[in-house]
Amino acid sequence: MAGAAALTLGLTASAAVSAETTLIVGTWQPPGNPMNSVVWPTWAEWVEEATEGRVKVKIEQDVGHPKTYFQLVEDGVINAGWSYHGYGPGRFKLPVAVELPGLNVSGEAASVALWRTQQKYFADAGEFEGLTLLGMFTHGPGQLHTIDPIEDLEDLKGKKIRIGGGVQTELAERMDITGVAAPGSKVYEMMQQGVIDGVFMPVTEQKSLRLHEVAPNLTVFPGGMYLGSFSMFIDPYFLEDLDPKDAEAIMSVSGEKLSALAGRAWDQADVEGFEAARAAGVNVKELGPNDPMTLEFRELIKGMDDAWIESVSDRGVDARAALEELRSIARAYEAQTQE
């Protein structure tokens, strides 16, 4: 009887082990990036708690070039991941709405607004076909990190500036600079070697990518020049293979909740980026709302809203209404969080 009992216990333990599923999340950027230090680890805890331990999350670093993560998840190489919409030019046109200059809100407010706008206006356009969205977010305001000080926009003409795609591409054209496409992970090396003269990035990268070592000048525009938009996604077939209650549990800790977490983490990372820049003696030039360069920039970006609306005319959405509502949601959320 004792042997039978032991056998039964062994089989029960084996069944429990086999019932546990590992969800592989692929990530990139350095370990100190907020996605790797805060967002994915927090979501992993949420998932394990929501599924009562039946789904464990394993985070894998650098499984491919950032632009391949959409395909890696679609192909089932990894179960979930994240990437920048600018890495899928032509495919992800709609989320670029949140990147347009002039929003002037935190990453958290922009992220929540993007998620809600995606659900209401963009979902049926099919840009994420083959993927299930877990969340959407933006980094904080994109600023200008350069080797040489910049006194006005004229100083940028002809300079080689790394851009990440999306709205940055149009800004580069309007500024008459030479845009250099490269993944964020290569920026430090390119700056160090003089391959580029500067980069458009949020202030967090002064710390995360150690730009304070290679970009001694940081020009800060009020509200930033742009926002960068990203998505987090999971393989729908992975979800289908789970017990429905576990799939539902995963989605219950995703969506707007995950989007807000990501935006908040990037906002905090910007605070730390400013601290790192100042501690390293970086020349931080904070422009006021009526600074000549701010006014130059406002003039430069006129017409960008209409250009985006025209660019998504093939998507079958009310782009103008979506853009207006996105901005309304973001500003209302920002006001609410500041009360």
Side-chain angles (χ1 to χ4, degrees):
M1 289 295 289
L7 178 61
T8 302
L9 284 171
L11 289 171
T12 302
S14 175
V17 170
S18 65
E20 185 182 291
T21 301
T22 300
L23 193 168
I24 305 294
V25 173
T27 189
W28 44 284
Q29 286 275 28
N33 182 276
M35 294 304 292
N36 301 323
S37 61
V38 177
V39 180
W40 284 123
T42 302
W43 185 73
E45 292 175 4
W46 290 351
V47 167
E48 291 181 22
E49 182 180 351
T51 61
E52 299 175 326
R54 289 182 296 275
V55 179
K56 301 286 187 184
V57 177
K58 184 178 181 185
I59 301 168
E60 296 279 4
Q61 184 77 29
D62 295 329
V63 295
H65 187 288
K67 68 182 179 183
T68 66
Y69 278 58
F70 300 109
Q71 194 68 46
L72 289 170
V73 173
E74 285 174 338
D75 293 345
V77 176
I78 51 177
N79 306 128
W82 67 291
S83 195
Y84 175 58
H85 297 126
Y87 287 144
R91 178 177 180 181
F92 303 108
K93 292 182 179 181
L94 294 171
V96 172
V98 78
E99 299 187 9
L100 292 164
L103 189 56
N104 299 334
V105 297
S106 65
E108 180 179 355
S111 301
V112 169
L114 177 58
W115 175 260
R116 292 182 189 173
T117 305
Q118 169 71 30
Q119 299 305 105
K120 181 174 178 179
Y121 287 94
F122 300 160
D124 290 343
E127 288 189 337
F128 290 91
E129 188 174 353
L131 300 165
T132 295
L133 274 175
L134 292 170
M136 303 181 83
F137 67 96
T138 75
H139 59 47
Q143 306 292 4
L144 179 62
H145 311 250
T146 54
I147 294 173
D148 298 324
I150 302 298
E151 299 302 329
D152 53 44
L153 295 186
E154 192 73 21
D155 288 346
L156 287 172
K157 288 191 175 180
K159 287 197 178 291
K160 300 185 292 293
I161 306 291
R162 181 268 179 183
I163 57 172
V167 159
Q168 296 174 60
T169 303
E170 185 162 350
L171 285 176
E173 290 172 1
R174 287 172 177 240
M175 289 177 171
D176 199 19
I177 65 176
T178 301
V180 179
S185 59
K186 297 292 184 185
V187 168
Y188 182 97
E189 179 184 346
M190 293 170 78
M191 292 278 278
Q192 192 177 44
Q193 296 175 353
V195 175
I196 55 175
D197 302 303
V199 61
F200 293 164
M201 276 187 161
V203 178
T204 179
E205 305 304 356
Q206 282 285 323
K207 179 181 178 182
S208 183
L209 288 181
R210 306 194 336 272
L211 289 188
H212 61 83
E213 297 176 5
V214 291
N217 290 280
L218 171 61
T219 306
V220 180
F221 290 77
M225 297 186 294
Y226 67 96
L227 293 172
S229 67
F230 303 76
S231 53
M232 296 169 277
F233 38 84
I234 192 168
D235 180 1
Y237 295 110
F238 176 85
L239 288 176
E240 283 180 18
D241 287 342
L242 291 175
D243 185 305
K245 69 179 179 183
D246 287 336
E248 186 178 338
I250 289 171
M251 298 310 294
S252 75
V253 295
S254 303
E256 185 171 317
K257 179 179 180 178
L258 178 58
S259 303
L261 169 72
R264 208 160 45 241
W266 281 84
D267 288 337
Q268 178 56 36
D270 274 351
V271 172
E272 295 169 7
F274 270 113
E275 291 171 353
R278 292 195 170 99
V282 170
N283 174 33
V284 180
K285 182 175 182 176
E286 294 194 63
L287 305 177
N290 296 311
D291 187 285
M293 207 183 325
T294 304
L295 300 178
E296 266 189 286
F297 183 73
R298 281 192 204 139
E299 195 64 30
L300 179 97
I301 62 176
K302 284 182 177 176
M304 285 185 69
D305 287 2
D306 287 337
W308 172 77
I309 289 167
E310 174 60 29
S311 76
V312 298
S313 58
D314 61 343
R315 293 305 200 250
V317 304
D318 188 339
R320 192 172 297 278
L323 181 58
E324 288 176 4
E325 187 160 338
L326 183 149
R327 288 175 171 167
S328 176
I329 293 168
R331 289 164 185 159
Y333 187 94
E334 182 89 335
Q336 185 179 2
T337 55
Q338 290 180 350
E339 285 178 357

